[in-house]
Amino acid sequence: MPAHQTVTVNSRKFDQTIRKSWTCEVIESSGPLLVLRGEFDEDISHPGLGELKRGTVSYEYYWLDRWYNVFRFHEPEGTFRNYYCNINMPPTFENSVLDYVDLDIDILVWNQGAPEVVDYVDFETNAIKYEYPHDVRQRVAQTIDELIGRIEARTFPFDYGFEAIKAFDTSTRTQEEF
């Protein structure tokens, strides 16, 4: 996958309807990992994130074999803002379109570094509405535990933005970190 290619990202509900759609630029493609960069073209008010200003940058990490994705947000002037992790079914990537089924439960991580599980009520409501299978519900619980462990250990991509801000650089990472 060439760097700087534009891709469309579709966040879907369990019934495959599109919840949100946006475009990003490919920064890196390494094995099952795609790193994308997006930029907000308007101000957004989000219930969990508050106000996101026009120009806010999101570095988005998608693994084609994992049940989550990670967004790392930066203010328009470049300072680290927070992480936002979606619990989702593994995405697909074809013809410059990345699709994933968002399973409604998320993890927020602010500068202090403590993970906060949010939207649990949405998950429970939609698990009933869309009849999430038992194995999907079980996988969600396992994924939350895995992500909290990665956040607390500050492993990639959670090794940025806490005690000391350092430059974004995936070129020094080993394949195992991805």
Side-chain angles (χ1 to χ4, degrees):
M1 156 104 17
H4 307 296
Q5 176 181 346
T6 300
V7 300
T8 300
V9 179
N10 294 320
S11 170
R12 296 181 178 273
K13 293 181 183 255
F14 196 75
D15 67 358
Q16 295 298 312
T17 57
I18 294 177
R19 172 185 284 172
K20 295 178 192 164
S21 187
W22 62 95
T23 59
C24 290
E25 173 187 17
V26 175
I27 293 177
E28 181 174 341
S29 175
S30 178
L33 173 66
L34 290 172
V35 182
L36 308 179
R37 182 188 181 280
E39 187 172 318
F40 287 76
D41 57 5
E42 61 185 40
D43 292 345
I44 302 288
S45 181
H46 184 278
L49 294 171
E51 301 300 317
L52 294 160
K53 299 175 200 160
R54 180 177 186 266
T56 297
V57 173
S58 65
Y59 293 96
E60 304 174 16
Y61 303 84
Y62 299 92
W63 291 266
L64 301 179
D65 59 353
R66 296 187 189 177
W67 283 68
Y68 61 86
N69 60 53
V70 177
F71 288 53
R72 191 183 80 216
F73 291 112
H74 290 259
E75 297 291 355
E77 68 277 358
T79 59
F80 172 74
R81 186 177 195 282
N82 68 287
Y83 288 98
Y84 189 87
C85 311
N86 290 295
I87 309 300
N88 54 260
M89 297 177 83
T92 60
F93 185 67
E94 291 182 32
N95 302 320
S96 299
V97 177
L98 187 132
D99 276 296
Y100 69 91
V101 174
D102 189 329
L103 295 169
D104 313 301
I105 197 163
D106 306 300
I107 299 176
L108 279 169
V109 187
W110 296 96
N111 257 345
Q112 306 86 325
E116 176 188 359
V117 179
V118 296
D119 301 330
Y120 190 77
V121 171
D122 292 342
F123 168 74
E124 286 298 326
T125 299
N126 286 324
I128 294 166
K129 178 180 178 179
Y130 295 111
E131 300 178 351
Y132 292 176
H134 176 73
D135 63 321
V136 168
R137 293 174 63 101
Q138 193 171 28
R139 189 61 183 246
V140 166
Q142 292 168 346
T143 301
I144 290 169
D145 290 344
E146 175 187 346
L147 265 172
I148 288 173
R150 294 181 73 78
I151 292 163
E152 290 174 346
R154 303 288 191 261
T155 60
F156 178 80
F158 302 105
D159 54 349
Y160 183 97
F162 298 112
E163 292 80 20
I165 303 295
K166 42 189 178 178
F168 173 69
D169 179 17
T170 58
S171 64
T172 61
R173 304 208 183 279
T174 64
Q175 183 63 33
E176 291 76 36
E177 290 179 285
F178 292 111

